[in-house]
Structures are given as structure tokens and as C-alpha cells.
Amino acid sequence: MAEVATAYAQGESLQHPYRPVDRLFFGRDDAETDFSSGLLRRGFQRTHAYEAALVGRKSLVIGRKGSGKSAICALLAEGGYAGETALITPDDAAGDEIRRFELQGLTADTAKSLIWRYIFAVQAARYLTAHARLDHGGLLTPAPVRALRDFLAANDESGDEKLTERLRRGARRLQSASLSLKAFGVEATASAEGAATDDASEGARVARQLDTLEAGVRAAFAALDCAGKHSPLLILVDQLEQVWRLDSDSHALVTGLLLAAKYVTGHYQHAVRCVLFVRADIYDSLNFADGDKFRSDEVRITWTPAALKDLALTRARISLEEPLQHAEFWGSVFPATVRGEPTPEYLSRRSLARPRDAIQFLTLCRDTAEQRGHATVSEDDVLEATEQFSRWKLADLAKEYNVGFPFLRPVFALFENSGYLVRRHELEERFEQVRETLLEAHSSYSEHLTHQAVVEALFGIGFLGVRRGDGVVHAGDSALPVQAYENELHVHPCFRPALNCRDRRGRSVPGAAGDGSAAVRPGHTDFLRNVTTTDASFSVNREVRLLDELVGSCERVMRQFNRSALPAGMKEEMSIVVGATLEHARLRRDSSRPADSRDVRTQVAAAATLFSMLGSQVAQQGFADDPVCLRFDDEARVLNRVLGGAVGTGTGSGSSG
């Protein structure tokens, strides 16, 4: 081993030149590619979160982007779990189908939970019919399994269509009362008109249909004695960020999933369990009444510097095919120190504590060394890579939190060309210079655009740290949020090079007041160059989002006319009015010309008033329980809430069918 270390240090062996950089590989940015190449399976770090999900102690894996959620999911789905798995990764089209699923008499959260329960029940039924044939083939197929097979055939659920098609078909059958339950000895409701005259609400009827289906699934599990013979079916749901938007329907989509997963895990008597992989910013934005019931199900992915150091060594060993130890790797392949600091600590301090950051930083160091013709990574290579990596991460942070905080780019600019240590009063002075402009561009985020709220947001996303005692604490180091009395704020070392925060307190720059509280000016980075708080794109994005909400509200109302029992003349008259509102909103949203903020807000407010008025008219005509009346009232509340900046209250906004 000493000879190997010497060869690394000299860049050659006795037989031929040896260049570790040529073969060094730390992996790709996404878990799916890493898994297909075999690197993830061979170099996977068995974290606490993975073990908890594997054995069933936890069912809700929460982590920031790049923290390894999909890596855990991929390994469980592809052989890490002893039993059978079913992976569900909804795309935009599937997300739209779930968002559009509405039931009269139920909140949005509850309605979405029912469509998720249907997805899980069908997935379990498909598994059971195949499992009985493959693993219980020597026995007479039990009657409950035959019933599931007949149910799948009768409802066109036996094929291999994509999730979107199955969702569309299932949602239509549930809403129109055409789901066939004859396999379980239950006659389906003949028609939507018949369902409308039923004493129970639409939501209650669908719940009864699901109860029948789920009872059939449970009976099949019991008949095969699956819970007593092997590991439960594991349903994995990942990539929810692909369907997440900052609207009430997305909030209901995720909360409904949480409710359904908890229900399924308990209902099937340990024969099925679910593990959900949710990005931390999405989960933390949820606000619903039953949120406290999921605390014991949660596991947050956390990474220590030591674990990331081991990850680097493991992947280096695999790619170089050498049994390296830390002392050999950090001293031969990579430099032992950078500016007097041990290299693992240097890299760890200048990145966020997650595998994707570590892999990207290490890879960038390696690529820099290769481009400069080096056989191993030198200290200068690491220093040069640090600059580029910082620019990457500053841009990535803005993208990661763009849905919740679309104003981050101009706020980051407040820290450019000054010290990395900022006192509260200094930040408040800088922020006040741009606050009115930010409010103009992002009026629905007014609650986030106060000095204290901005500090809390920047601390929560990891951009700022705060001094506590003898050290600086960042969001991942403590569960305690930044406190109003904490005065000393520090830009995270990861972002300092990109912002030119070279000194603790900063040097004076042209036009500065001399104390580090200089006005913002264009910087040296690609990310911030030419970014100003008056950039029209910020306002346009805000207005497009408002118009998106208005379009969505109109579409939800229009869908209810097909399910309404209102007189034909009344339906036609109201559908013309709502259709015109919808068309106007679509044309304005899709126009290439920037929309005026005040005009768009006025348009949305007018639509909210219109819906409220139409809902009152329908109720006065004696149709207060009609789906159209309920939808008018719900959408009026949704639009008023959007104008006020609140999204996803957990009360089922836009709920009733």
C-alpha cells in the first residue's frame, strides 16, 4: 500500500505513468443515473434514514434537494428490500389528474386522499393477482383473489398503461358512479343521474365504493396469508416535486397522499406499507389539521462531515479499484490540506451537507485538475474549483426555493461586495432600500418581505448562519430557528466567493457608506450580473402566477357544469359567463406582453366577486347543495386567498365538488 501511495504522489508507477485523475469518478448528479451505472448500489451509504425506511420504523423520508431521498428509494425498489415493491413517480400529467379530482361534500384534502387510496388499492390488487399466480401457483386460487382479478378486468385496470391513463380512467369511474364492483357482489350505481339523487353526498358514495374495493383487497391478503409468510408489499412514492406548485390544489395533493398512506398502512393489517419521499421545503410548507399525527412517521435525512468524507473515499475506491484509506486519498489523490485546513474539512465547510453537493464539488476539483493536465488534484485545482462551485450553488439555491421565495436573487445581491458578517441593523438598512420594489413585484408574498421574515427565510434555506455562543450555527445544525435578538449573521462559506464576500467585515467599495452597508451594485458573477429589483421578469412571473390561479379556478367551475342538476337554461347562461372569464384570463396569461400588476389583481378580484355573486344566485334558486354552487363559493375563497398571499391552509381550499 505504501508503494501505491508513492505512485499516487509521484503520478507514476514503476511500469507506466499513473494518473488517478483519469479514472477518478464520484458519480452523477441524480440517483437514477448512478443506480443504472452500478455506482450507487456498490457505493451506497447505509444511513439512518435508509435503515428506518427499510425495516418499517419510518414511512416519511424528508430531505432537501440532493440529500439522497431518491437514492434510498432507488435502492429499496431495486433489491434493497426483501419483499415486493411498487414504485410510483407521478409526472405533470398525473399530477394534473389528481389536482382535478373533486368530490361534492368533501374537502380537497379528503377528496385527494380518496383518489390516492384508489391508486394504492389497484396497485395492491395487481400485485396480489400476479403474486398468487407466481408464488401460490400450486394451490387453488382463492375466491377473494379471483374477485380482484375480475374487478381489474371489468374496470380496465389489468393493462400496463402509464399512471396518468389509469388515474384518468379511475377518477372518471369514481366520479360518475361507473366503477364496477360486481366482482365483490355489489351492483354499481347505474348512472351519474342516479347517484345525484342518492341521499348521501358524492363524497360519501365514493368512500363506500373504496371501502368495498379495499375490503376485497384485504380479504385476498388474508386468504393468501401474506402478512404471515413474507414481507409486506412496499409502495414507494417519489419525485413529488415534479407535481408541486404553489397553489391550493398541490397542497391538497400532497396532504391527501399523506392521509392515504397512513390509512393504507394500518388498513391492510401489515400486508402493505408505504414510504413517501418528500422534499423538505414542500413538507414544511404544509399546513393541515392532522399534521401532528405524522411526527412519529418522519425521518429527516442528515449528513455529517464524516459521512460525506466516507462517501468520497468509497466512490474513489470503486472508480480507482484500489483499497485506499483516508490518509492515502487525502494526501495523494487529493491534497492533504488547502490553505492550511484539512481538505475534507475545507470542502465540507464550503458546501451544504448533502451528497449531491459533495459529489459535484469533488467532481469539479477532479475536472479542473484534468483540464490543467495534472495527474492528481492539487491545492490550486481545489481553489479554482471553489470559485465555480460557489457560483453554481448560489444559482441552484435560488432555483431550489423559487416556488416559495421567488425574490431570492435580488435579496442575495444585498450581500454582494461586502463582508460575510452582517449585523441586523445593516441588513435592515440594505433591505429597506429595495423593499418597496420587491413588494411591487411580489405583492402576494408581503408576509415574507419584512426584515425579520427575510432573515428567517435566509437562515431556513441555509444561506445565512447565526452566531450562538462560540460558534456559528446554520439551519442544519439546530432545530431552533433564528431568533429576533440574534444580531450577528454570517453568509454561509459556500456562497461567499460568488458574492465576493472576502473579508469578515468587508472593504469599502465605490459608493459605499464605508461600514459594509453599501447600496447594491452589479457584481462580478454571472448569476447576479444585471440583476436589479426592478427587472420586469419578477413582476411578470408574479402576474402569470395570479392568472394561472384564475385559469385554474375557472376550469374547476366549468367541470362542475357537467355534473350539475341545475336547469339547462341557468347552466348555459352561467357557463357562458365563466367561459368568457376563462378565455380572457388565458389570453392575458399567454400574451408575450408584460401584464400590469394592478390590472391583473383587479381582474382576479373581479372574478372572485363574480363567483361569490353567482353562488348566491344559485343558492337563492334552491340549489344550495348543487356542485356548481359549492364550487362557486370555494373558488371565490381561493382567489381571495391568493390575492392575500396565502396558499394551502389545510382546510381544503377549493374543496367541495
Side-chain angles (χ1 to χ4, degrees):
M1 190 59 64
E3 292 179 358
V4 172
T6 301
Y8 284 160
Q10 296 175 348
E12 61 180 30
S13 69
L14 297 177
Q15 289 78 24
H16 56 83
Y18 190 81
R19 295 172 51 84
V21 158
D22 293 341
R23 292 195 293 147
L24 193 59
F25 181 66
F26 295 101
R28 304 295 183 188
D29 292 342
D30 61 291
E32 293 79 11
T33 305
D34 259 0
F35 194 89
S36 62
S37 69
L39 182 60
L40 178 58
R41 186 189 296 274
R42 296 171 62 195
F44 184 77
Q45 303 289 100
R46 295 175 69 95
T47 60
H48 168 69
Y50 171 77
E51 297 290 351
L54 176 65
V55 301
R57 288 196 306 272
K58 302 294 181 181
S59 60
L60 188 52
V61 180
I62 304 164
R64 287 190 63 171
K65 181 180 180 181
S67 61
K69 301 183 303 299
S70 291
I72 295 174
C73 181
L75 197 67
L76 290 173
E78 298 292 340
Y81 178 67
E84 292 292 324
T85 62
L87 176 61
I88 298 174
T89 55
D91 57 13
D92 283 342
D96 285 343
E97 289 297 328
I98 298 173
R99 267 189 286 269
R100 285 195 291 264
F101 187 76
E102 303 144 358
L103 294 171
Q104 180 187 350
L106 297 182
T107 66
D109 295 352
T110 304
K112 303 303 190 276
S113 75
L114 294 186
I115 190 62
W116 278 114
R117 279 172 53 187
Y118 177 78
I119 294 169
F120 294 155
V122 169
Q123 194 69 55
R126 290 161 63 95
Y127 157 75
L128 277 165
T129 55
H131 174 65
R133 182 178 68 255
L134 296 174
D135 298 327
H136 298 266
L139 303 174
L140 179 67
T141 303
V145 177
R146 296 198 302 273
L148 285 186
R149 186 177 58 210
D150 293 343
F151 165 83
L152 293 173
N155 292 283
D156 300 318
E157 292 286 5
S158 299
D160 295 325
E161 298 96 335
K162 290 184 177 180
L163 175 64
T164 302
E165 292 303 317
R166 291 161 52 198
L167 265 170
R168 183 177 296 121
R169 186 168 51 240
R172 184 173 62 249
R173 290 183 184 279
L174 288 170
Q175 289 177 319
S176 64
S178 61
L179 187 71
S180 174
L181 299 172
K182 291 182 179 180
F184 308 115
V186 177
E187 289 295 327
T189 304
S191 65
E193 289 77 18
T197 62
D198 193 358
D199 292 337
S201 70
E202 181 182 52
R205 173 179 53 75
V206 171
R208 288 200 304 269
Q209 290 178 305
L210 273 176
D211 288 342
T212 300
L213 170 57
E214 289 168 335
V217 173
R218 188 166 57 177
F221 273 121
L224 296 176
D225 191 23
C226 287
K229 291 181 178 178
H230 53 73
S231 300
L233 169 66
L234 181 60
I235 298 177
L236 307 166
V237 184
D238 192 19
Q239 302 293 330
L240 289 172
E241 57 270 23
Q242 301 298 323
V243 299
W244 176 256
R245 302 172 189 167
L246 194 64
D247 59 26
S248 54
D249 285 333
S250 292
H251 181 278
L253 183 153
V254 178
T255 54
L257 171 61
L258 296 176
L259 295 170
K262 178 174 278 292
Y263 175 87
V264 165
T265 299
H267 183 75
Y268 291 124
Q269 301 174 331
H270 308 293
V272 180
R273 64 182 180 91
C274 298
V275 178
L276 315 181
F277 299 86
V278 187
R279 218 168 71 182
D281 58 309
I282 295 176
Y283 185 76
D284 293 338
S285 72
L286 301 179
N287 178 22
F288 63 112
D290 291 330
D292 60 332
K293 296 180 181 178
F294 292 86
R295 296 303 183 196
S296 60
D297 298 323
E298 299 174 9
V299 58
R300 299 253 176 181
I301 299 178
T302 57
W303 285 86
T304 64
L308 292 172
K309 180 181 176 181
D310 288 341
L311 181 146
L313 180 65
T314 299
R315 296 195 169 206
R317 284 173 172 171
I318 294 171
S319 61
L320 295 176
E321 300 180 335
E322 296 286 355
L324 294 169
Q325 301 301 317
H326 279 297
E328 295 161 338
F329 180 65
W330 305 105
S332 300
V333 181
F334 267 66
T337 63
V338 177
R339 288 184 174 169
E341 185 177 5
T343 302
E345 282 76 3
Y346 175 93
L347 297 173
S348 177
R349 284 205 319 115
R350 288 161 179 80
S351 60
L352 302 182
R354 48 190 179 183
R356 184 173 298 168
D357 279 26
I359 290 169
Q360 289 176 343
F361 205 169
L362 291 162
T363 299
L364 187 56
C365 292
R366 178 257 170 217
D367 291 348
T368 303
E370 182 185 44
Q371 291 165 7
R372 300 171 79 181
H374 296 166
T376 61
V377 179
S378 70
E379 180 176 359
D380 286 343
D381 296 329
V382 176
L383 292 173
E384 183 173 322
T386 299
E387 300 279 343
Q388 178 63 53
F389 180 75
S390 180
R391 291 192 288 271
W392 282 357
K393 292 297 104 180
L394 190 63
D396 290 348
L397 193 67
K399 294 174 185 175
E400 180 177 352
Y401 290 97
N402 183 59
V403 173
F405 306 112
F407 48 80
L408 284 179
R409 286 174 179 258
V411 169
F412 289 162
L414 299 176
F415 299 88
E416 192 178 18
N417 297 318
S418 65
Y420 62 77
L421 187 159
V422 183
R423 305 286 181 182
R424 271 187 180 266
H425 72 275
E426 295 170 355
L427 180 55
E428 187 169 5
E429 290 171 6
R430 300 181 200 179
F431 181 67
E432 283 304 313
Q433 297 178 42
V434 300
R435 182 170 181 271
E436 289 303 319
T437 307
L438 289 174
L439 283 170
E440 174 86 17
H442 306 284
S443 53
S444 67
Y445 292 85
S446 57
E447 73 274 20
H448 296 300
L449 290 172
T450 67
H451 167 252
Q452 177 62 21
V454 165
V455 171
E456 291 174 355
L458 294 177
F459 178 81
I461 67 176
F463 178 81
L464 285 181
V466 61
R467 178 166 291 282
R468 289 179 183 161
D470 295 332
V472 176
V473 176
H474 292 89
D477 305 325
S478 171
L480 184 68
V482 62
Q483 303 298 297
Y485 61 81
E486 292 176 317
N487 182 52
E488 189 175 316
L489 309 172
H490 291 246
V491 176
H492 193 289
C494 178
F495 310 111
R496 293 174 191 173
L499 293 167
N500 200 30
C501 298
R502 295 296 183 182
D503 302 319
R504 176 180 172 86
R505 294 293 292 148
R507 291 169 289 187
S508 296
V509 295
D515 62 353
S517 57
V520 180
R521 65 180 182 83
H524 70 292
T525 68
D526 293 335
F527 171 69
L528 292 174
R529 184 173 290 122
N530 299 324
V531 170
T532 69
T533 55
T534 57
D535 191 331
S537 65
F538 293 120
S539 178
V540 171
N541 287 339
R542 157 64 182 153
E543 308 324 323
V544 168
R545 196 176 73 82
L546 273 176
L547 291 168
D548 273 340
E549 290 287 350
L550 178 53
V551 167
S553 285
C554 292
E555 288 175 343
R556 287 190 288 270
V557 171
M558 293 295 285
R559 287 197 294 271
Q560 298 308 307
F561 286 119
N562 295 327
R563 305 165 60 200
S564 170
L566 294 178
M570 183 183 294
K571 280 198 291 187
E572 181 179 3
E573 181 180 348
M574 290 186 171
S575 65
I576 290 174
V577 174
V578 176
T581 304
L582 171 61
E583 185 63 21
H584 186 207
R586 281 176 174 165
L587 287 172
R588 199 154 187 200
R589 180 194 62 184
D590 300 337
S591 172
S592 59
R593 293 176 296 157
D596 181 83
S597 173
R598 288 181 294 274
D599 284 353
V600 171
R601 289 180 63 82
T602 299
Q603 181 178 354
V604 174
T609 301
L610 172 66
F611 289 165
S612 181
M613 180 186 69
L614 292 176
S616 297
Q617 290 179 2
V618 174
Q620 290 169 4
Q621 294 295 320
F623 297 97
D625 294 328
D626 189 86
V628 168
C629 182
L630 297 170
R631 178 57 58 189
F632 274 136
D633 291 342
D634 284 342
E635 295 307 329
R637 287 193 294 270
V638 167
L639 293 178
N640 282 321
R641 185 159 48 246
V642 168
L643 287 169
V647 174
T649 63
T651 58
S653 54
S655 56
S656 302

